Each structure stands twice: as structure tokens, then as C-alpha cells.
Amino acid sequence: MRQIGFFLLLIGLLAACNSKSDQSAPAPNPASTKTCLSIFALESIRTSGFEGALIKDYAKKFNCAVSLTLFPTMPELVKALIAKENDGDIDVVLNMDNCFALEDTLKGRFLPLNAIAKNELSRDLYLDPNTTFIPYAYANLGIIYNEKVFDSPPQSFGELQDAKYFRQMAICDPHQSGLGRATLYWTLALFGDFGYEHLWQSLRKNVKKVYDSPQQALEALKKGECSMMIGFNSTPAWLEELNQSDKYFKTSMLKEGSYQYSESAAIHAQTRNESVARHFIEYLISTEAQKMAIYKLGLFPANSKTNLPMRFARIPLSSWTVNKRLSEDQIRTELPVWLYFWDSLFNYGIAFAD
């Protein structure tokens, strides 16, 4: 009996030890557990190299499986963001420019980002009042011109109407691209509802073609199909950074003031991975990642602590921007009217005959 009691006691002690050992076992390392992130963006994020340089690097560094769903145009991206069937399948949206972000259908579709530190962002940036969007790149609008053709570029919208620029200018379509819509808002902010109509009626003779994207307009400029375009003041410096032979493109910042374009990230309201999405956006605006905004997007980095290459540091700046002259309510109310005028003037969807 004593032997049986001894064995029972020994079995009890061993069971207690095993239980204590289980309780003190180390928790799994979060870094060893692969997380997932779904990003909706434009195809330009791939063609620019931004995906390979930043998103793939993030996936590898943080052991995160990133799924990219890409769209050719901003209207198609916006449509996907508001589609009910995509709820729960979108974590982060990229390429959301500050003009299309004002689409009425996007209200309430994204989470506030108050917890993300914004103290390192450039003071020149216009932040969304509700902090729904966090900019990661920006630039001011100006006239990019080929100095081999024009040694004395236009200094104002008044000079831009001169007949010597007949059919020399490329512009972007406000239906399809953020740059095109920023161009439209720029002239509205400067000249008002009636003044902008008169301006564009005078400028139309100098427009060579309306392009769907900034990339298409820039290619036309580089190929000599046009001699100037309304674009980003950072573009000439970026071209020279990529190819030192591209030294004959310059920027003229018009005297009336400029309009600021920015690209932002946001977290979809129906995300299933909010913590991972927030971490990704924090990484996106870190100085480590922000240099990719310069070399891949050709824009200024939103983080003011990012080191700029010398050519970017020399970019001519506008003394002021005029974004605040147009309210969000005014844009949402009047945009259909503005686009109707644009369509009637430029025969939307029809390329000009050469």
C-alpha cells in the first residue's frame, strides 16, 4: 500500500510540474506569423517602380503578404472603393490624389488617422481636416517647357495665351487624372466661375492634345510632340536625376500662384487588418521609405526630414498656393458644371486633329 501511495504521489507531482511548465512557455513571436495586407492602387504604382522599391521591401522586411489590386484610371479605382462587394477586401488605398479624394461618394469610406504621427510632415502640405488621408508625396503645378524651343517661357496665364505657343501645350483630362483635375481647380481658384471659362477659351488654340495621364503627357513632351505641359514643378529635376542628358526641361512657376497636388494613403472603413494597415502607412511616411517618392514618383517627399538630392533642392517654388480658395462644398456642388464646360470646349474623348 505504501508503494502504491508513493507512486500516486509521484504522478501528482509530475502532473503539477508539467502544468506549470505549460503556463510559462514563451508566446509565439509575432514576427514569425505572416500577416496579410490588401492594397488597392493605380497601375502606375507598378510601372513607376514604386511597388518594387517600397511595397515589396515592406512585405519582406515585416513578413507581410501584400496583395495588390491595380486599376488603370482613377475613376475605376474610386468605383472599386465604393463597391459593396469589396467591403472587407480592402485595407489600404494608395495613389489617392487630393482632387479625386473630394469625390462625394468617398465620404465616410475611410477611417480617421489621428493616431498616426504627422509632426514630421512638411508644413507646405494641405492636410485633410478630418485626417482621413495621409499625404506621402506632393508637388506644385507649373509650366514644364523645353528650353531648346522656348528660351523665354510664359511667366503668367496671360502670357500663356500668346499665339506664339499655338498648339504647343499638353494638358491632362480632369475626368481621368488627378493632375488634370488639379489643373482645372487651379484656374478656377485663380479666375472664378466665369473667368476660368474665358481663360480656357483663349488657351484652347495653344493646346496640342488632352492626355489621360501625366505619364502620357510627359512622354509626348520628351518625344517632341509638344513643347510644354502643365505639370509638376519637380518633374524636370526628376528627369535629370534619372537621365543626366535630360537637362533641357525647365519649370516656369506662374506669377498668379500655384495649385498643390498631393498623393495620399487611406485605410478603408471596412478593413479587417486595421493595425497592419496603420503600420504600413507609418512606414510609408518614414524617411526610409520617403526617398522612393523622389526617385520613383518624381514628387517631393511628404516627410520634411527626408534628404533631398541637390537638383530637387534647387527647384523653383511658388510663393503661395491657391488651394484654399476653393471649398470642398463648392467643388462637390459645382464639379459637374465645370466638367460640362470642359467637355463642350475640348470635345471630351476626341483627340485633336494634327
Side-chain angles (χ1 to χ4, degrees):
M1 289 292 293
R2 288 181 179 179
Q3 289 180 338
I4 294 173
F6 175 77
F7 282 117
L8 289 174
L9 177 63
L10 181 61
I11 291 171
L13 289 172
L14 288 172
C17 289
N18 285 339
S19 175
K20 185 176 181 181
S21 176
D22 288 344
Q23 291 174 0
S24 61
N29 182 359
S32 67
T33 305
K34 197 155 195 172
T35 56
C36 298
L37 187 69
S38 172
I39 298 176
F40 276 37
L42 294 178
E43 289 177 356
S44 60
I45 206 168
R46 177 164 292 164
T47 56
S48 68
F50 196 72
E51 175 195 4
L54 187 139
I55 297 176
K56 289 184 178 180
D57 182 64
Y58 176 87
K60 181 178 179 181
K61 183 173 294 186
F62 297 102
N63 195 35
C64 180
V66 178
S67 168
L68 265 179
T69 305
L70 304 179
F71 301 87
T73 66
M74 185 60 72
E76 291 170 275
L77 174 58
V78 170
K79 184 178 179 181
L81 293 173
I82 63 177
K84 289 293 184 181
E85 59 265 28
N86 290 328
D87 283 355
D89 294 330
I90 311 171
D91 298 318
V92 172
V93 58
L94 296 178
N95 297 120
M96 183 54 63
D97 64 79
N98 56 326
C99 296
F100 271 87
L102 298 176
E103 288 274 347
D104 195 51
T105 55
L106 292 176
K107 290 182 68 175
R109 302 298 294 177
F110 304 102
L111 296 179
L113 295 172
N114 295 317
I116 292 180
K118 300 181 291 296
N119 57 317
E120 294 184 353
L121 296 183
S122 171
R123 294 181 180 179
D124 295 330
L125 275 167
Y126 290 107
L127 292 176
D128 180 84
N130 300 315
T131 61
T132 299
F133 297 96
I134 295 294
Y136 54 84
Y138 75 101
N140 290 341
L141 267 58
I143 305 298
I144 304 170
Y145 67 97
N146 186 335
E147 67 174 354
K148 289 184 176 181
V149 180
F150 301 113
D151 56 357
S152 179
Q155 301 294 322
S156 67
F157 274 108
E159 292 182 18
L160 193 59
Q161 300 173 48
D162 197 293
K164 70 180 180 179
Y165 304 120
F166 180 70
R167 294 175 62 75
Q168 294 293 322
M169 184 167 61
I171 58 175
C172 287
D173 182 2
H175 287 276
Q176 301 297 321
S177 80
L179 174 56
R181 194 159 290 192
T183 299
L184 178 62
Y185 292 170
W186 186 15
T187 56
L188 278 154
L190 287 174
F191 304 106
D193 282 338
F194 298 104
Y196 97 101
E197 291 186 2
H198 176 76
L199 172 71
W200 281 108
Q201 286 165 349
S202 300
L203 286 177
R204 189 189 189 285
K205 66 181 183 302
N206 293 343
V207 174
K208 172 71 172 179
K209 188 175 178 179
V210 180
Y211 293 88
D212 286 345
S213 70
Q215 294 81 13
Q216 292 175 0
L218 183 58
E219 281 303 308
L221 181 66
K222 292 169 65 177
K223 291 177 181 177
E225 296 172 8
C226 56
S227 301
M228 61 174 62
M229 67 174 283
I230 294 180
F232 307 127
N233 62 332
S234 54
T235 296
W238 176 58
L239 291 175
E240 195 172 343
E241 283 289 331
L242 297 181
N243 183 359
Q244 302 219 359
S245 64
D246 287 342
K247 296 182 178 180
Y248 44 87
F249 296 115
K250 306 296 179 184
T251 303
S252 176
M253 302 303 293
L254 304 186
K255 295 176 181 178
E256 293 93 343
S258 183
Y259 196 89
Q260 187 180 102
Y261 168 95
S262 61
E263 287 190 13
S264 296
I267 300 176
H268 198 271
Q270 302 300 321
T271 177
R272 295 192 179 104
N273 300 297
E274 182 179 344
S275 61
V276 181
R278 287 181 180 273
H279 183 266
F280 174 78
I281 292 180
E282 288 170 351
Y283 176 77
L284 184 64
I285 61 174
S286 68
T287 54
E288 178 184 359
Q290 280 281 283
K291 58 187 178 183
M292 292 300 108
I294 302 172
Y295 294 106
K296 299 303 180 182
L297 303 180
L299 300 171
F300 282 105
N303 190 322
S304 60
K305 295 185 179 181
T306 309
N307 290 328
L308 295 176
M310 187 176 298
R311 293 181 181 89
F312 268 68
R314 294 173 178 171
I315 292 174
L317 299 175
S318 174
S319 56
W320 70 92
T321 51
V322 296
N323 297 54
K324 290 183 179 180
R325 295 186 187 179
L326 289 180
S327 69
E328 292 186 17
D329 289 340
Q330 182 184 5
I331 289 173
R332 291 191 173 106
T333 302
E334 300 295 331
L335 180 59
V337 178
W338 298 337
L339 291 176
Y340 179 82
F341 165 77
W342 181 275
D343 295 347
S344 64
L345 185 65
F346 288 106
N347 300 316
Y348 173 61
I350 302 174
F352 299 163
D354 288 326

